[in-house]
Amino acid sequence: MLLWSILLILAGSVFAGPIFRSAGSRTGWLLAAVPAALFLLFLLETGSVMVGDYPVVGIDWIRSLNVGLDMRLDGLSLLFALMITGVGAFILVYAEGYMGKHPMKGRFFSFLMLFMASMLGLTLSDNIILLFVFWELTSISSYLLIGFNHEDKSARWKALQALLVTGAGGMALLAGLLLLGAAGGTYSLSGLVSQGTALAETELGRIALPLILLGAFTKSAQFPFHFWLPNAMAGPTPVSAYLHSATMVKAGVYLLFRLHPVYGASDLWIQALVLCGSITLLYGAVLGLFQRDIKRILAFTTMAVLGLLVMLIGLGGELALKSAILFMLGHALYKSTLFMTAGNVDHETGTRDARLLGGLRRAMPLTALAAGLAAFSKAGFPPLLGFISKEYVYKASSALEASAPLLTVVALCGNAMLLALALKVGLHPYWSRVPERAEGRPWSRFLPRSPHEAPVSMILGPLFLATLGLVLGLFPGFWSAAIVEPSLAAAYGAPVEVKVALWHGFNLPLLLSILTVALGLGIYMVRQRTWRKQSISEKIARRDPERLYDFSFAQFVDKSKFVTRLLQNGSLRFYLWVILAAAGLLIGYKLLYLGGVEASWDPANVGFFEVVLCLSMLAAAAFTAFAPSLLHALAGLGWIGFSIALIFAYHGAPDLAITQIIVETLTVALLLFAARSLPKFRNYTPRGKRTADIVLSGIAGVLIAALALKANALQLFPTISSQLADWSYVAAKGKNVVNVILVDFRALDTFGEIIVLGIAAIGASLCLSSGMGKSGRQYGVSPILCTGAALLLPIFVVLSLAVLYRGHNEPGGGFIGGLLAAVGYLLYSLAHGPEAAERKLLVSPAMMIGVGLLVALLSGLFGVATGAPFMTGGWLPTFSLPLLGAVHLGTPLIFDVGVYLVVWGFSLQTAFALQAHANPETAR
Amino acid sequence: METLVAIVIGALGAASIYCLLRRSVAKFIVGIALMSQAVNLLIFMSAGMTRGEAPLIEGDATTLASGYADPLPQALILTAIVIGFGLLAFTLALSQRAIQSVGSDDLEDFDNTDK
């Protein structure tokens, strides 16, 4: 049920768009049915959760990393799940009315449901990695929702700010959770929590704490990371009501509740939570007093309440935690109501400016009723839920042994200011006189819109949630045992009996409550006269930690631009210099560190011929580097290539020698084609830079030579070659070990390589697809060449087939065969032109590549069909044929045919393209 | 022999890097061709060079006798040669297109998308 609930909401998110297109203005109601049904289902679980029978889900996800889709519904998760689905259902209905005829409404619902699923997942996760994934998902969906009006630049900026702040905190949280997991030896949240305070005393546990706190504080907008929350009001009102008051910002609080059994006794925990919490409480409330926008006022009071909750969790103990849970529940109810009623006011009057609003009770009686109820709950008047929770806050703070007076005063001041703000937001717009400035002018010209009651969808939620605050306050006995007790047990770490009552008799908390009311009313009165003064608020804003965010953001962008300009200046030469110099330094250092290089010189070991060959290669290298033209360079390259083929041949590598010779031939042909269209060598670099280049390449050359010697001398790991050689005939039925490695042992590598060839062919022919105009070239001029090429073509093809067939046992194979066949066609193409050559080929080279890849793939799939891994070879029984003798047939040979076709097709595809490009007008 | 080949590899590498540092596109391509030669030789040498027989199983034998050249680097180099050829062909095509689009063969002019 736990996993399905999340998947169901996610499905709602995915299909919100299509549903909106067909259901239109019923979308919100339809979608709300999902969380509403889930709310009831969660409610049914209270029975089992109460007796400690927690529903769990455990599905393997990434087993090697110990990450599972583990979920667990204990009391705390249940409380959050009820808040998320219960408030969520009304928010969806509300959004239906609020978004009206917004063209992107489907998308809005989709984001909202995505958030709902992530938030639910966060509270249900029992695996800390899973929890982190959902944690980040809430940040991302919050980003999408705050920046929903993405045409507005400031909305985008604010959304990014929220994402960066909570995202940075999320990174810290991840580190903290991993450390905590390492400390506890498990990623299971319940497993970690059950280890209790012992976990907090491990070294890793101690290091994890500040990181986890960073994550929780950024998410729950604690000072000094609070500034993103008021800015998040750029999102549409349903978002503010849901994410930024009732649910997402409480994720941090949730985490703190969760980890209280672990860290509750740690000094850092207590100090950080109490200090940051109380600062946030007072700072948020004071800033709220200086706002005009009723939505911003609500944002600041949310911040203040979050501060109070954090402070209470920091105080710890049964009483403080109980008051925090009650306060959080009350807050979820009244704050989402107040946001929605503020949204109604905004929607129906066109303004949220507290100075302009007044006397709306006539036009919007139901909204006024809901707002009034919520405001009374927020203000802490009996008999509402807010009253009870406030009583418990005072009970908790005054019951402390140390620092009781100070914290009680903090709570008192905070509550008094919250009361004043509750009146400002929940009562003032509806019950005050019509503002002075409006008198003498008609109401309609004064407000952007003439006020009237909001539609049903926008009234239902506020009225219901506000009434719920009243009902829960009137009858605390019958639900507290079912809801508060289990969640308190999870946060406290041990079962606690809870009796919540509305009336506690005449005692200190009641006195403090009365004091709060008096003080709050006083603040309200004073503020009422001075509401228009903004100077103090601006002064505070100049010193707000948000300036630090702005500063570092600007610096970051600035420095990034500088570094980019410095390193990515568009000069390839510069890039190469940086790379080579860095690589050179590292390699040089490493070589020295490893004790330098030893070069041996034994004249007896070196033949005269080899010395001459190598010396000629040195000369050719220098000649190529300083060649005056491309043709000269080609000559040098050719010499080097054929010399390397000789070296291969001398050292027992006939396959390599043959491949090298054919590739050399093809390369020279391609470069010759290109030489027609490539510009001549030109010297662009001044002499000084050229000298520097010579020095750098000289140093690089020395390092490469040293590296080669070092690599030759070192043998770090035992080679697997002898095993490959032992298996070659026995297991893979091939006597040419090199070919067996290519088509059998490492066939997957080879498959990747021929795919690369295919892609290169497509890329090359796309590059050349639009021809440049150049003078045409006459083909078929030389009769000897024409006849010779035509005669040789079939010989090359037959030869290539023979090489392909015998490759498994003797030098040859698909690579060499393909290249050989290509040479034959290239010769024909030189004589008769690429078009004629392609006609001789019957199919296009591109088709050959495709067929070749398909053949290779199918030969690999044969193994899969028999249940073995991809590319496992399969063989037919040996049989005899006349002429060929004993024949082994198996999938590696078919694979080699695929290689043959791809190499053949690739060579011709690029060669024909280059040739045609050099001579676009091919003539007969 | 190893020392001699190492010197050749170094020289090829140096020549290649010098060409890669040129601003002329054609020289740059020559540099790429040289580099793949140098690297193939480097792999060949780093596995140890045996002036022995090809790694082919003789006649009726079922395993390779000792004293044969190491087959594994050969398999690696064989594909590397062909891939190097593919790389060169693609670079040729790409450079022709680029020269046509940019209207210059000076690599310092190829900086429009970077700024």
Side-chain angles (χ1 to χ4, degrees):
Chain A
M1 182 239 165
L2 303 181
L3 193 60
W4 283 111
S5 65
I6 294 166
L7 290 178
L8 200 62
I9 301 174
L10 271 183
S13 168
V14 171
F15 295 114
I19 291 174
F20 172 63
R21 272 193 289 281
S22 54
S25 66
R26 291 186 301 272
T27 316
W29 297 90
L30 281 174
L31 290 175
V34 177
L38 290 174
F39 177 82
L40 293 178
L41 284 173
F42 278 119
L43 214 52
L44 289 176
E45 297 286 343
T46 44
S48 51
V49 171
M50 261 172 81
V51 296
D53 177 19
Y54 304 131
V56 288
V57 176
I59 297 175
D60 264 342
W61 183 20
I62 312 171
R63 195 182 306 181
S64 54
L65 296 176
N66 272 327
V67 181
L69 290 171
D70 300 327
M71 303 198 169
R72 186 164 175 271
L73 186 75
D74 67 356
L76 194 58
S77 301
L78 180 66
L79 175 65
F80 270 89
L82 288 174
M83 291 200 306
I84 292 160
T85 50
V87 176
F90 287 113
I91 292 289
L92 287 175
V93 171
Y94 181 81
E96 175 57 55
Y98 184 86
M99 296 307 282
K101 295 193 163 52
H102 197 291
M104 292 288 138
K105 204 162 155 184
R107 179 187 295 180
F108 183 74
F109 279 119
S110 177
F111 290 167
L112 214 52
M113 300 281 279
L114 174 67
F115 165 76
M116 195 184 289
S118 348
M119 189 67 203
L120 194 59
L122 195 164
T123 53
L124 295 181
S125 301
D126 192 37
N127 183 296
I128 52 178
I129 305 296
L130 190 64
L131 182 141
F132 172 76
V133 170
F134 283 121
W135 181 284
E136 292 293 280
L137 268 177
T138 60
S139 290
I140 291 167
S141 43
S142 158
Y143 167 76
L144 294 171
L145 285 166
I146 297 172
F148 187 72
N149 294 318
H150 55 83
E151 294 89 356
D152 179 5
K153 194 182 172 195
S154 83
R156 290 201 306 270
W157 168 258
K158 289 165 178 174
L160 184 65
Q161 187 187 49
L163 182 71
L164 287 178
V165 174
T166 55
M171 286 295 115
L173 177 71
L174 176 63
L177 287 178
L178 290 175
L179 286 172
L180 192 66
T186 172
Y187 282 158
S188 155
L189 189 56
S190 51
L192 287 169
V193 170
S194 67
Q195 297 180 19
T197 47
L199 196 57
E201 274 145 34
T202 60
E203 191 177 357
L204 288 177
R206 265 205 301 279
I207 304 172
L209 177 59
L211 296 167
I212 292 174
L213 288 185
L214 264 180
F217 283 6
T218 48
K219 196 78 166 181
S220 282
Q222 295 300 296
F223 186 89
F225 309 112
H226 58 274
F227 48 85
W228 68 266
L229 182 58
N231 287 340
M233 298 303 127
T237 299
V239 177
S240 314
Y242 193 37
L243 276 70
H244 303 120
S245 74
T247 55
M248 188 187 87
V249 287
K250 298 213 171 91
V253 174
Y254 167 78
L255 190 70
L256 296 177
F257 270 132
R258 265 276 170 252
L259 295 177
H260 177 265
V262 176
Y263 285 116
S266 143
D267 282 341
L268 175 64
W269 169 277
I270 297 172
Q271 286 156 7
L273 262 63
V274 172
L275 193 67
C276 286
S278 42
I279 292 177
T280 312
L281 167 63
L282 295 180
Y283 191 69
V286 168
L287 281 185
L289 285 175
F290 294 98
Q291 302 301 319
R292 292 167 175 165
D293 180 344
I294 51 175
K295 221 174 133 184
R296 266 183 92 81
I297 296 178
L298 287 170
F300 280 107
T301 61
T302 303
M303 181 182 141
V305 169
L306 291 168
L308 181 63
L309 291 176
V310 168
M311 183 181 106
L312 287 170
I313 299 173
L315 292 177
E318 194 190 322
L319 217 50
L321 289 177
K322 194 204 297 185
S323 63
I325 288 172
L326 284 170
F327 210 99
M328 184 175 71
L329 181 60
H331 177 256
L333 295 178
Y334 70 67
K335 189 53 69 66
S336 49
T337 304
L338 284 175
F339 263 115
M340 285 193 265
T341 53
N344 285 357
V345 169
D346 184 19
H347 202 256
E348 308 308 337
T349 66
T351 181
R352 299 195 304 248
D353 192 328
R355 294 167 306 167
L356 302 183
L357 296 168
L360 289 173
R361 68 177 182 280
R362 287 180 211 287
M364 315 173 73
L366 293 172
T367 304
L369 177 65
L373 269 177
F376 277 129
S377 182
K378 178 175 158 71
F381 290 136
L384 291 113
L385 186 54
F387 172 72
I388 302 180
S389 55
K390 198 179 59 187
E391 291 291 284
Y392 275 95
V393 170
Y394 285 138
K395 257 190 174 181
S397 63
S398 57
L400 288 173
E401 287 158 23
S403 65
L406 180 64
L407 286 176
T408 307
V409 169
V410 167
L412 183 72
C413 293
N415 273 328
M417 285 189 275
L418 287 179
L419 185 141
L421 291 172
L423 298 181
K424 184 74 200 168
V425 178
L427 293 182
H428 178 84
Y430 311 98
W431 300 90
S432 70
R433 285 181 297 120
V434 174
E436 286 164 25
R437 289 205 293 171
E439 286 174 4
R441 266 195 280 169
W443 196 217
S444 55
R445 275 178 59 195
F446 178 63
L447 284 177
R449 273 174 233 155
S450 65
H452 55 86
E453 188 54 277
V456 187
S457 55
M458 296 171 70
I459 293 295
L460 188 70
L463 264 185
F464 187 89
L465 293 173
T467 317
L468 193 63
L470 178 65
V471 174
L472 294 185
L474 279 173
F475 310 104
F478 92 103
W479 56 274
S480 56
I483 304 291
V484 180
E485 208 173 281
S487 44
L488 183 55
Y492 189 61
V496 186
E497 203 189 334
V498 176
K499 282 206 183 89
V500 179
L502 186 61
W503 180 247
H504 288 269
F506 294 98
N507 53 8
L508 184 61
L510 186 67
L511 184 70
L512 287 169
S513 269
I514 295 169
L515 206 58
T516 310
V517 174
L519 194 60
L521 283 176
I523 295 174
Y524 180 70
M525 300 292 193
V526 174
R527 223 18 229 141
Q528 205 48 30
R529 292 203 199 113
T530 56
W531 208 271
R532 292 193 182 86
K533 277 192 186 159
Q534 285 293 298
S535 54
I536 308 173
S537 145
E538 277 157 19
K539 262 182 206 159
I540 296 174
R542 271 203 294 276
R543 299 220 178 340
D544 195 89
E546 187 180 0
R547 300 287 82 77
L548 189 65
Y549 169 86
D550 292 342
F551 176 75
S552 18
F553 192 87
Q555 286 291 308
F556 187 76
V557 171
D558 229 40
K559 297 289 176 288
S560 305
K561 276 185 185 154
F562 172 73
V563 171
T564 308
R565 270 198 305 271
L566 189 73
L567 291 178
Q568 301 280 312
N569 64 358
S571 164
L572 186 64
R573 244 177 69 84
F574 175 76
Y575 298 164
L576 282 174
W577 258 90
V578 171
I579 294 169
L580 288 169
L585 282 176
L586 287 173
I587 293 173
Y589 167 77
K590 196 73 189 168
L591 278 173
L592 285 178
Y593 179 78
L594 286 173
V597 180
E598 278 176 37
S600 62
W601 185 254
D602 182 7
N605 209 3
V606 186
F608 172 72
F609 174 77
E610 287 162 337
V611 175
V612 173
L613 185 69
C614 288
L615 285 179
S616 79
M617 285 174 80
L618 293 182
F623 178 74
T624 313
F626 300 110
S629 78
L630 187 59
L631 278 179
H632 287 82
L634 271 182
L637 268 178
W639 184 269
I640 291 166
F642 286 109
S643 307
I644 289 178
L646 282 178
I647 293 180
F648 287 151
Y650 267 108
H651 292 89
D655 283 293
L656 291 191
I658 301 169
T659 315
Q660 176 82 12
I661 287 172
I662 306 173
V663 163
E664 255 346 285
T665 314
L666 287 170
T667 304
V668 170
L670 288 197
L671 281 169
L672 272 176
F673 293 145
R676 295 174 199 278
S677 45
L678 278 180
K680 296 201 165 32
F681 279 4
R682 239 173 294 171
N683 224 331
Y684 288 107
T685 9
R687 182 179 291 272
K689 280 190 175 176
R690 227 183 311 161
T691 318
D693 288 349
I694 292 175
V695 172
L696 179 74
S697 32
I699 293 171
V702 170
L703 282 174
I704 294 170
L707 197 67
L709 280 174
K710 196 77 192 171
N712 185 259
L714 283 179
Q715 172 100 40
L716 294 175
F717 306 101
T719 170
I720 58 165
S721 300
S722 57
Q723 274 147 12
L724 296 181
D726 285 347
W727 293 334
S728 176
Y729 187 72
V730 182
K733 301 191 189 336
K735 291 188 169 177
N736 180 0
V737 185
V738 175
N739 183 267
V740 171
I741 292 173
L742 283 175
V743 300
D744 200 328
F745 296 150
R746 303 197 55 82
L748 194 62
D749 269 9
T750 312
F751 188 53
E753 268 146 17
I754 57 177
I755 291 175
V756 171
L757 284 183
I759 294 168
I762 295 168
S765 46
L766 281 180
C767 283
L768 298 173
S769 57
S770 69
M772 297 184 285
K774 260 200 177 179
S775 65
R777 189 183 123 87
Q778 290 281 313
Y779 285 108
V781 182
S782 154
I784 300 174
L785 181 63
C786 285
T787 325
L791 278 174
L792 282 174
L793 180 66
I795 299 176
F796 266 108
V797 174
V798 171
L799 194 63
S800 75
L801 283 170
V803 166
L804 167 69
Y805 174 75
R806 64 170 228 158
H808 212 53
N809 295 311
E810 284 164 88
F815 279 106
I816 297 174
L819 290 169
L820 258 180
V823 169
Y825 273 91
L826 202 56
L827 189 63
Y828 190 84
S829 163
L830 277 174
H832 299 273
E835 284 181 358
E838 202 166 328
R839 273 199 302 278
K840 272 275 185 207
L841 198 58
L842 302 177
V843 291
S844 73
M847 177 69 103
M848 290 177 72
I849 298 174
V851 172
L853 285 175
L854 199 65
V855 167
L857 179 72
L858 289 177
S859 78
L861 285 176
F862 177 81
V864 179
T866 60
F870 185 54
M871 290 289 175
T872 307
W875 294 87
L876 285 178
T878 309
F879 57 95
S880 280
L881 277 184
L883 279 178
L884 294 171
V887 177
H888 304 279
L889 276 186
T891 54
L893 293 184
I894 301 174
F895 180 78
D896 217 9
V897 173
V899 174
Y900 171 77
L901 288 174
V902 173
V903 172
W904 185 359
F906 160 78
S907 309
L908 290 187
Q909 173 86 6
T910 47
F912 288 170
L914 280 166
Q915 197 184 1
H917 193 254
N919 319 276
E921 297 147 38
T922 43
R924 337 263 99 213
Chain B
M1 183 64 193
E2 274 83 359
T3 314
L4 208 53
V5 175
I7 293 169
V8 170
I9 294 170
L12 288 177
S16 155
I17 287 170
Y18 179 76
C19 287
L20 289 175
L21 286 172
R22 300 301 91 215
R23 281 162 61 177
S24 157
V25 175
K27 277 227 160 188
F28 184 83
I29 296 170
V30 171
I32 290 181
L34 277 172
M35 186 55 88
S36 67
Q37 305 279 30
V39 171
N40 287 343
L41 209 51
L42 177 67
I43 302 173
F44 192 65
M45 188 194 135
S46 60
M49 291 166 69
T50 328
R51 212 178 303 172
E53 300 286 321
L56 302 170
I57 296 167
E58 298 261 332
D60 294 332
T62 54
T63 55
L64 209 56
S66 60
Y68 286 80
D70 191 345
L72 187 60
Q74 294 194 20
L76 299 181
I77 296 167
L78 201 146
T79 48
I81 294 173
V82 180
I83 290 283
F85 172 57
L87 175 70
L88 188 73
F90 179 71
T91 316
L92 276 174
L94 184 67
S95 63
Q96 300 208 7
R97 183 55 185 261
I99 290 169
Q100 184 190 352
S101 309
V102 178
S104 158
D105 74 322
D106 181 356
L107 282 171
E108 295 289 300
D109 293 336
F110 285 47
D111 58 354
N112 285 331
T113 53
D114 281 19
K115 275 183 182 164

